[in-house]
């Protein structure tokens, strides 16, 4: 479930709100053990996703580095090559 959470820091262009939201959703899904909350838990689930997304955005905005930003396409190609090697 959490394998789809990707590194979001130090990319050019920076992580989008959609990427931050997707990572937050995956994190909350992993912690709660469910991909779709029941109606009774939906509000708590949604609040948790929003809180994690906000904390993630704050973290990304506060981090600093001297490293050059990574290229999204180059990193995607590396990941694809690793997957091809791993899964054939």
């Amino acid at each position: 479930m959490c394998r789809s959470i990707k590194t979001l820091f130090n990319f050019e262009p920076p992580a989008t709100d959609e990427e931050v939201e997707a990572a937050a959703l995956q994190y909350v899904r992993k912690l709660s053990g469910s991909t779709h909350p029941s109606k009774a838990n939906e509000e708590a689930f949604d609040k948790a996703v929003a809180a994690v997304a906000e904390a993630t955005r704050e973290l990304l905005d506060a981090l600093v580095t001297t490293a050059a930003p990574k290229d999204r396409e180059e990193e995607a190609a590396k990941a694809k090559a690793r997957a091809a090697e791993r899964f054939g």
Side-chain angles (χ1 to χ4, degrees):
M1 204 181 294
C2 282
R3 281 181 241 174
S4 61
I5 296 177
K6 306 293 184 222
T7 301
L8 299 177
F9 178 61
N10 197 28
F11 277 97
E12 191 57 49
T16 65
D17 289 337
E18 290 79 23
E19 290 172 313
V20 170
E21 179 82 16
L25 177 60
Q26 287 298 317
Y27 180 75
V28 172
R29 283 178 173 172
K30 182 68 171 187
L31 289 179
S32 68
S34 90
T35 56
H36 300 289
S38 66
K39 287 288 182 191
N41 294 324
E42 191 170 23
E43 183 179 345
F45 191 91
D46 292 343
K47 275 180 70 173
V49 171
V52 171
E54 182 179 341
T56 301
R57 179 52 68 195
E58 287 177 20
L59 173 65
L60 293 175
D61 291 345
L63 292 174
V64 295
T65 184
T66 57
K70 296 178 238 172
D71 181 84
R72 288 181 180 279
E73 292 177 13
E74 185 179 311
E75 294 299 316
K78 288 180 192 176
K80 189 173 183 178
R82 284 191 303 270
E85 184 177 310
R86 182 175 179 194
F87 300 112

